[in-house]
Amino acid sequence: ETGVTQTPRHLVMGMTNKKSLKCEQHLGHNAMYWYKQSAKKPLELMFVYNFKEQTENNSVPSRFSPECPNSSHLFLHLHTLQPEDSALYLCASSQELPSGRADTQYFGPGTRLTVL
Amino acid sequence: GQQLNQSPQSMFIQEGEDVSMNCTSSSIFNTWLWYKQDPGEGPVLLIALYKAGELTSNGRLTAQFGITRKDSFLNISASIPSDVGIYFCAGHTGNQFYFGTGTSLTVIP
């Protein structure tokens, strides 16, 4: 148990569906992240939120829409996905320090997404 | 973006052997982290390093933050079957973490 939870753990959706992934961190951290992990590729950063404000959007297609209502919760809304979007989606949190350094980053267990 | 070169890509070792893997970068990082990931699960933090030259242990695992701040290594001593998995390094700079491509470790009983 890392203090970061994700639901659902598995999701199968069609290309026309709309679904949402949820992440919650119980660590009191001020930064949250979405990553995509595909087979045989390094982790790809998608979005970063610091103090609920989005600070990074790594050229992610608009069919992925993040939402951070507060510093403990992060959502990833999915709409009209493609089969190549099938991957493990990981949420993480960290404590960003005023110096620009970061405390450790903790990951959730991930959501295994399959797009048919 | 920043690139982390992690090596080796994969290792097949006998139970009881020691393991060493490392990450290098062209950029300076202020934090180095090492993770282990089992299939279908999220990465689990093993060791965190915050200062150049820092050497930290966690049981049979030892990691070091390179003096140049551009590299780090992880050693596993006396490997056991449950050490099997993928090990990732991560470096922090700016407001992002950057990840290595992973080292896949197989331990043969």
Side-chain angles (χ1 to χ4, degrees), chain A residues 14-87:
Chain A
M15 288 192 282
T16 57
N17 291 158
K18 286 185 186 181
K19 296 283 184 186
S20 295
L21 310 185
K22 179 183 175 184
C23 176
E24 183 174 358
Q25 58 99 358
H26 311 274
L27 302 167
H29 287 166
N30 56 20
M32 296 187 77
Y33 310 75
W34 279 117
Y35 291 92
K36 177 184 178 184
Q37 188 176 41
S38 305
K40 309 216 187 238
K41 284 187 175 181
L43 281 165
E44 299 172 50
L45 178 65
M46 300 175 74
F47 302 104
V48 181
Y49 278 82
N50 279 299
F51 296 102
K52 303 187 299 175
E53 299 296 322
Q54 187 180 124
T55 56
E56 290 291 330
N57 175 344
N58 274 9
S59 304
V60 179
S62 59
R63 57 186 184 268
F64 295 92
S65 172
E67 179 191 358
C68 188
N70 55 61
S71 55
S72 299
H73 293 86
L74 186 64
F75 295 89
L76 188 63
H77 303 300
L78 315 172
H79 178 48
T80 56
L81 295 192
Q82 305 297 311
E84 61 265 29
D85 296 322
S86 299

Side-chain angles (χ1 to χ4, degrees), chain B residues 29-63:
Chain B
F29 290 115
N30 55 47
T31 300
W32 279 97
L33 306 173
W34 284 93
Y35 292 90
K36 178 178 183 245
Q37 186 175 23
D38 292 327
E41 300 292 328
V44 174
L45 183 69
L46 299 174
I47 292 182
L49 303 159
Y50 301 106
K51 283 194 222 177
E54 181 181 352
L55 184 72
T56 297
S57 293
N58 177 6
R60 293 178 296 106
L61 278 60
T62 303

Side-chain angles (χ1 to χ4, degrees), chain B:
Chain B
Q2 313 281 358
Q3 293 289 327
L4 289 188
N5 298 307
Q6 185 171 348
S7 64
Q9 276 193 319
S10 60
M11 302 181 76
F12 293 81
I13 60 167
Q14 291 288 140
E15 183 177 356
E17 287 184 357
D18 297 344
V19 171
S20 185
M21 59 192 79
N22 70 83
C23 274
T24 60
S25 170
S26 57
S27 302
I28 290 174
F29 290 115
N30 55 47
T31 300
W32 279 97
L33 306 173
W34 284 93
Y35 292 90
K36 178 178 183 245
Q37 186 175 23
D38 292 327
E41 300 292 328
V44 174
L45 183 69
L46 299 174
I47 292 182
L49 303 159
Y50 301 106
K51 283 194 222 177
E54 181 181 352
L55 184 72
T56 297
S57 293
N58 177 6
R60 293 178 296 106
L61 278 60
T62 303
Q64 185 158 30
F65 194 137
I67 289 291
T68 65
R69 296 170 62 192
K70 293 184 179 181
D71 63 323
S72 178
F73 72 74
L74 174 72
N75 287 342
I76 305 173
S77 62
S79 57
I80 59 179
S82 61
D83 290 334
V84 163
I86 299 180
Y87 292 79
F88 290 99
C89 62
H92 182 271
T93 187
N95 66 343
Q96 287 191 37
F97 288 88
Y98 298 89
F99 290 83
T101 49
T103 295
S104 174
L105 179 64
T106 301
V107 180
I108 303 165

